Amino acid sequence: EIEPVFLDFEKDLSRFNIKNDIEVLYKENPTTDLFELSYVFETGSFHDPLPSTAVSYFDYIGTSTQTPEELAAEMYRLACNIRISVGGNRTRINISGLQENMAEIMEMAENWVADCVGNEAVLEGLKADRMRSRANAKLGQSQNQSALQNYVAFGPEYIKMTTLTDEQLMGATSDELLAKIKNLLNYEHRIVYYGPASEKEVTALLNEHHNT
């Protein structure tokens, strides 16, 4: 029988700091050519419900020099992926793929975050989809059960804390949403790395290519 393996952050991960005193949690995996890199920010939907919508918007917009289609093609070429996720207490910029392309995909990810450009048609479509999903959720038993469980577990303020009202959603502007993305790297964060590169190699890559 195969037993699950859980990481003990104190025993299994080494810790070191790069420039600007940013903490890095590091675990080497010499059996693969793939890496996983996360910038972890100690803020999430419990602190502000707007970033969840901003991240959904980010997935469909480009930069001042590249369309979303061109960005997708570049990730495919590099065999890498970029994704931003928002949880209750944490937000992560997740970068993964072939180790040999880590420097290039890091620069691409950070440029995308810093230089993302709004698209009003995309935003209106996103809002319409969200409103439809909300209307459909009210008719679904499983969604209603989930909402009730959250109410019981987290209290009556949970929905207000983590969810935009319909009025807030429809009133959210492109500039407001873009600001939530563009300001991410200005916040204090730590970095988690898992992959084949040595601690020395990761330190050099982060010091050279991580903009803070």
Side-chain angles (χ1 to χ4, degrees), residues 122-153:
V122 168
L123 180 55
E124 290 308 308
L126 175 63
K127 290 178 179 180
D129 286 344
R130 287 286 175 93
M131 294 299 290
R132 275 194 298 270
S133 295
R134 290 182 176 190
N136 291 336
K138 292 177 182 179
L139 304 175
Q141 183 175 351
S142 61
Q143 289 91 338
N144 290 329
Q145 181 67 25
S146 176
L148 179 60
Q149 289 173 344
N150 287 332
Y151 181 90
V152 171

Side-chain angles (χ1 to χ4, degrees), residues 32-171:
T32 181
D33 294 326
L34 303 177
F35 78 95
E36 297 177 17
L37 184 72
S38 294
Y39 304 161
V40 183
F41 306 84
E42 297 299 320
T43 184
S45 59
F46 288 165
H47 307 92
D48 181 359
L50 197 58
S52 294
T53 300
V55 166
S56 296
Y57 185 37
F58 176 80
D59 288 339
Y60 296 100
I61 58 178
T63 69
S64 62
T65 59
Q66 289 179 291
T67 65
E69 294 76 18
E70 288 171 334
L71 290 167
E74 190 68 3
M75 285 190 283
Y76 181 81
R77 180 185 71 82
L78 295 171
C80 290
N81 188 50
I82 299 165
R83 183 173 59 88
I84 304 179
S85 61
V86 180
N89 291 308
R90 291 186 180 89
T91 298
R92 297 172 180 265
I93 299 176
N94 300 300
I95 307 168
S96 59
L98 283 177
Q99 179 62 45
E100 64 188 73
N101 294 329
M102 178 172 156
E104 195 169 351
I105 196 65
M106 278 182 63
E107 292 185 356
M108 178 181 165
E110 296 192 19
N111 180 68
W112 192 0
V113 167
D115 189 39
C116 53
V117 174
N119 183 312
E120 291 299 329
V122 168
L123 180 55
E124 290 308 308
L126 175 63
K127 290 178 179 180
D129 286 344
R130 287 286 175 93
M131 294 299 290
R132 275 194 298 270
S133 295
R134 290 182 176 190
N136 291 336
K138 292 177 182 179
L139 304 175
Q141 183 175 351
S142 61
Q143 289 91 338
N144 290 329
Q145 181 67 25
S146 176
L148 179 60
Q149 289 173 344
N150 287 332
Y151 181 90
V152 171
F154 300 110
E157 295 300 311
Y158 173 80
I159 297 297
K160 292 181 181 179
M161 290 171 54
T162 61
T163 307
L164 296 174
T165 65
D166 290 350
E167 291 76 15
Q168 289 172 325
L169 173 62
M170 296 307 294

